[in-house]
Amino acid sequence: SQTIHQWPATLVQPVGSPLSLECTVEGTSNPNLYWYRQAAGRGLQLLFYSVGIGQISSEVPQNLSASRPQDRQFILSSKKLLLSDSGFYLCAWSGTGNEQFFGPGTRLTVL
Amino acid sequence: AQSVAQPEDQVNVAEGNPLTVKCTYSVSGNPYLFWYVQYPNRGLQFLLKYITGDNLVKGSYGFEAEFNKSQTSFHLKKPSALVSDSALYFCAVRDLSSNDYKLSFGAGTTVTVRA
């Protein structure tokens, strides 16, 4: 069966510091991968998605970037965090079935 | 273009009563429709999907949803709600005529089931 992992689970970072969040998927090959941000426990904002290694589509211009160095690894990064980057970050994957399966999330607080 | 609307921010029901969470969608072509549930500080869990076929779709935890093409709706239902069903529910859509796999999510509906 497929599983998706995210780490860390929680992170507290000062403004201006770098960020690296990691997502890995097991039990499937060539998944589509997605990064979302959820603010205040409400709606989801799609940040990036990837259909293959090195292929990244950005949905919202901002302080963040994404990379996919391996087939089942998706990384969300920032060189300098802003207060507005605080939120709950969710990674998801999808295959041929179209539904997306979500990881447990990372709670990021920028102080 | 594709979009989803969840007209109710909050739904409150008593345990044992029927639960309905509303969703309407807008697509250019035919829709793929999905429901997810989220518990506090957790990722979204997939409940069910409509792709084609029978308009009544059954999913996890006793939930079902009815696809209504004329009303462009995909309401989530449960005949008898449990306190443990209290959570945040999201409807999502993908337009089959689009070239990507992106889903559009609604703003979410908070369900509270009181004992």
Side-chain angles (χ1 to χ4, degrees), chain B:
Chain B
Q2 60 190 36
S3 66
V4 155
Q6 293 181 241
E8 300 161 316
D9 283 343
Q10 197 151 11
V11 170
N12 298 307
V13 298
E15 189 173 34
N17 281 3
L19 170 63
T20 298
V21 186
K22 296 180 180 177
C23 171
T24 58
Y25 67 90
S26 176
V27 294
S28 302
N30 290 316
Y32 282 168
L33 292 156
F34 309 86
W35 274 103
Y36 290 84
V37 60
Q38 185 182 32
Y39 297 97
N41 296 311
R42 304 289 292 275
L44 277 67
Q45 294 179 34
F46 170 72
L47 282 178
L48 52 80
K49 67 179 178 182
Y50 171 82
I51 303 297
T52 186
D54 196 347
N55 289 343
L56 184 63
V57 178
K58 294 189 182 296
S60 305
Y61 312 118
F63 283 95
E64 58 189 28
E66 186 167 11
F67 172 66
N68 187 317
K69 188 171 184 177
S70 63
Q71 297 185 4
T72 62
S73 67
F74 190 56
H75 300 332
L76 181 70
K77 299 180 181 182
K78 187 170 184 179
S80 179
L82 301 172
V83 172
S84 57
D85 293 327
S86 299
L88 182 58
Y89 291 80
F90 290 99
C91 182
V93 68
R94 182 197 160 206
D95 190 336
L96 281 177
S97 66
S98 70
N99 293 325
D100 57 49
Y101 291 91
K102 294 185 290 184
L103 300 182
S104 294
F105 286 84
T109 299
T110 299
V111 170
T112 302
V113 182
R114 59 186 184 276

Side-chain angles (χ1 to χ4, degrees), chain A residues 41-101:
Chain A
R42 297 304 296 191
L44 298 172
Q45 179 186 34
L46 179 63
L47 302 175
F48 301 95
Y49 75 98
S50 172
V51 299
I53 295 174
Q55 300 178 62
I56 309 295
S57 295
S58 175
E59 292 298 297
V60 183
Q62 55 199 315
N63 188 40
L64 302 169
S65 62
S67 62
R68 185 170 177 174
Q70 300 180 48
D71 181 46
R72 289 169 291 177
Q73 184 186 29
F74 205 24
I75 297 172
L76 183 68
S77 304
S78 174
K79 292 181 179 178
K80 288 185 177 181
L81 283 168
L82 306 172
L83 286 173
S84 58
D85 291 325
S86 294
F88 193 48
Y89 288 82
L90 291 160
C91 181
W93 73 273
S94 69
T96 56
N98 289 285
E99 62 267 35
Q100 294 179 14
F101 297 97

